[in-house]
């Protein structure tokens, strides 16, 4: 087993699970990463997630990351996977969706700020704020996926 850091350094494919978090009204959770994080400190994200451990499914990893980063226990639904070539190195990205409570308890070591945005507000924010590469790629594919499903 290798660490995510080593996989990135060596350029090896690894798996990452992310979740688009919506509230009951359909707004999307956006957060700014803590300045202490080694990857993309202080950048905004439209998804919550992290590396998938060996022997772990995308869904298990997504649920674990939601508990670690937001203090919530929900079962996210895997929508699709793709090889994401944006970011630090290529990786398989499993994109999930979950309806989560308005009241989340973010881990301050991971999340510096969070807020709820409507889709139009998020589209504007993606153009104006600094977001992680995964956020841009995952969210645009998420919107395309949802459009194709309707």
């Amino acid at each position: 087993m290798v660490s995510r850091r080593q996989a990135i350094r060596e350029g090896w494919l690894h798996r990452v699970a992310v979740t688009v978090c919506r509230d009951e009204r359909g707004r999307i959770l956006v957060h700014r990463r803590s300045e202490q994080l080694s990857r993309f400190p202080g950048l905004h994200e439209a998804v919550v997630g992290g590396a998938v451990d060996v022997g772990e499914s995308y869904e298990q990893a997504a649920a674990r990351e939601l508990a670690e980063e937001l203090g919530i226990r929900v079962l996210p639904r895997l929508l699709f996977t793709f090889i994401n070539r944006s970011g630090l190195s290529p990786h398989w990205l499993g994109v999930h969706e979950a309806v989560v409570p308005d009241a989340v308890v973010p881990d301050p070591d991971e999340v510096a700020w969070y807020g709820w945005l409507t889709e139009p507000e998020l589209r504007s924010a993606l153009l104006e704020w600094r977001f992680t590469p995964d956020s841009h790629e995952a969210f645009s594919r998420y919107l395309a996926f949802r459009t194709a499903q309707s």
Side-chain angles (χ1 to χ4, degrees):
M1 184 166 108
V2 299
S3 68
R4 182 174 182 191
R5 177 171 279 124
Q6 183 180 359
I8 290 169
R9 187 176 58 243
E10 301 292 338
W12 296 331
L13 271 178
H14 55 287
R15 296 182 304 150
V16 174
V18 297
T19 303
V20 175
C21 298
R22 290 183 169 270
D23 68 3
E24 293 289 345
R25 294 188 284 173
R27 296 177 305 170
I28 298 161
L29 181 103
V30 175
H31 70 278
R32 189 175 70 247
R33 294 171 61 84
S34 166
E35 294 291 342
Q36 294 86 257
L37 293 173
S38 61
R39 287 182 292 281
F40 307 114
L43 267 58
H44 289 86
E45 288 199 284
V47 293
V48 174
V52 179
D53 292 334
V54 172
E56 191 176 39
S57 71
Y58 281 107
E59 293 92 338
Q60 289 167 329
R64 176 179 49 75
E65 289 289 338
L66 288 171
E68 289 173 6
E69 293 185 26
L70 299 179
I72 55 174
R73 300 227 176 268
V74 297
L75 210 55
R77 183 171 64 101
L78 178 64
L79 303 178
F80 56 90
T81 62
F82 68 98
I83 294 183
N84 186 11
R85 299 193 186 282
S86 68
L88 299 174
S89 71
H91 53 278
W92 279 100
L93 195 60
V95 179
H96 302 74
E97 182 179 52
V99 175
V100 303
D102 284 354
V104 298
V105 184
D107 176 350
D109 291 337
E110 301 255 357
V111 177
W113 168 91
Y114 78 94
W116 295 94
L117 301 181
T118 63
E119 268 185 35
E121 289 169 339
L122 179 51
R123 287 175 198 259
S124 294
L126 282 162
L127 299 173
E128 297 167 21
W129 304 352
R130 292 179 55 231
F131 278 82
T132 63
D134 278 2
S135 285
H136 282 284
E137 192 66 30
F139 192 69
S140 66
R141 288 179 184 245
Y142 169 76
L143 290 177
F145 175 86
R146 288 197 45 229
T147 301
Q149 298 297 304
S150 55

